[in-house]
Amino acid sequence: MIYLDNAATTQVRREVIEAMLPFLDKKYGNASSLHSMGQEARAALERSRESIAKMLKAEPNEIIFCSCATEANNLALKGLALEAKKQGKNHLIVSKIEHHCVLHAAQWLGENGFEVTYLPVDEYGFVDLAELERAINEKTFLVSIMYANNEIGTIEPIREIAKICQENSVPLHSDAVQAFGKIPLYAKGTDMLSLSAHKIYGPKGVGLLMKRKELRIQPLLHGGGHEFDLRSGTENVAGIVGFAKAMELALKEMPRESKRQAKMRDKLIKHALQIPESRLNGHPKKRLPNNANFSFRYVEGESIVMKLNEHGIAASTGSACSSPKLEPSHVLLALGMAPSEAHGSLRLTLGRYNKMKDIDYTVKVLPKVIEELRAISPFWNR
Ligand SMILES: Cc1ncc(COP(=O)(O)O)c(C=O)c1O
């Protein structure tokens, strides 16, 4: 199988598995236990926390481990909302193209007494900075804008967004799940940042929220008081050790890998755009080095994915979570695309295991697949 769905998840690296194994095997102690096995687990956990903090230019007590980025994003939005309520603030701002875990958390807050502004984006997916400035008011307790979009790969102007937030004394949260390890992050400018291990060749089921220590939030999970009383539950020591290892390796390889993957991405884009009635979604330049997203008129994205699968290529129509729903992508609709066109989207996302020969094969297969599907489409014939 040629795996071109690296934005959905990635293959765990050998080095990560090796780093994790002892903590699944003999070193299985609970990091809260007082005996030496517990202390061994605690030491490994805290070493990972320190290493991650350094990479994010944060302090160790600003790293909160949790089960995934979905949880980290929920903790950022709802945790701060609960705290803000005490200070009489009830307004938050998110972009219209956030991942569903941010959008639906915001929506839930909206149904529970908070006011939500959904910021529009332009045809490339960039948030409107003037609109952001206009939307902030004295009740605003949070701006949450993703670093890079998981469907179309557009990289948001986080520096400018951070500047606006700082000038207005409003905390900024950024979902950097797809950006970490692909582009350098301006973590310093954010008050909260979410990451997930399984997008960077780490294990599934571990994520983190970086949160500045000055910013108070409320926990969503109550219990034993783990993770600075912000996320109770026995820590996933093996997962956290693997997460830190995956982050270290991703950063080390980023300069070389990003360039290599961008070359493959550009070849994909060049060839796919030679297919009639095709378009690239997202910005042509300010996009993740591993992301290509296309629309092909008169064909369904799901049919393209199924056909590519028959040819041994794993692709996606959009984000992994919304793929089975057969609804047009909220991201493409926010770009101003008609629902009929948004249905024909294809996302190809590259990773460290892809080679140029995978791309050569894909660009040979893709035009044939589109042609075959169009041949049976009544809309195309008309
Ligand atoms: C931008 C973005 N945010 C959040 C998530 C959710 O991450 P997790 O699978 O760790 O919950 C994803 C995963 O698809 C994502 O792409």
Side-chain angles (χ1 to χ4, degrees), residues 7-9 67-73 97-102 146-151 175-179 194-199 203-208 319-321 347:
T9 197
S67 68
C68 57
T70 296
E71 188 190 337
N73 285 338
I97 62 166
E98 295 300 310
H99 189 273
H100 277 138
C101 60
V102 168
M146 66 202 323
Y147 219 105
N149 185 268
N150 47 303
E151 292 188 35
D175 172 350
V177 165
Q178 296 290 344
S194 307
L195 297 181
S196 178
H198 75 100
K199 310 285 186 179
K204 291 170 185 64
V206 56
L208 70 82
S319 76
C321 323
R347 180 184 73 176

Side-chain angles (χ1 to χ4, degrees), residues 24-99:
L24 296 167
D25 190 22
K26 299 279 187 313
K27 302 185 178 185
Y28 58 85
N30 182 323
S32 297
S33 296
L34 290 179
H35 49 68
S36 56
M37 281 175 72
Q39 292 316 298
E40 185 178 43
R42 169 60 55 193
L45 196 159
E46 296 309 332
R47 266 199 309 276
S48 302
R49 196 192 305 280
E50 276 168 31
S51 157
I52 289 172
K54 218 184 225 170
M55 289 185 260
L56 296 179
K57 299 185 178 60
E59 292 178 23
N61 61 1
E62 296 179 323
I63 305 298
I64 306 154
F65 291 114
C66 49
S67 68
C68 57
T70 296
E71 188 190 337
N73 285 338
N74 271 269
L75 178 59
L77 268 70
K78 296 176 186 169
L80 188 59
L82 292 173
E83 185 65 33
K85 203 171 163 186
K86 293 190 206 159
Q87 273 113 51
K89 295 194 173 188
N90 70 343
H91 175 235
L92 74 153
I93 301 171
V94 300
S95 87
K96 282 189 178 174
I97 62 166
E98 295 300 310
H99 189 273

Side-chain angles (χ1 to χ4, degrees), residues 147 158 162 172-174 186-193 210 212:
Y147 219 105
I158 292 294
L172 170 65
H173 165 252
S174 188
Y186 177 55
K188 227 171 63 186
T190 62
D191 301 281
M192 292 192 280
L193 195 90
M210 185 282 288
R212 299 288 169 212

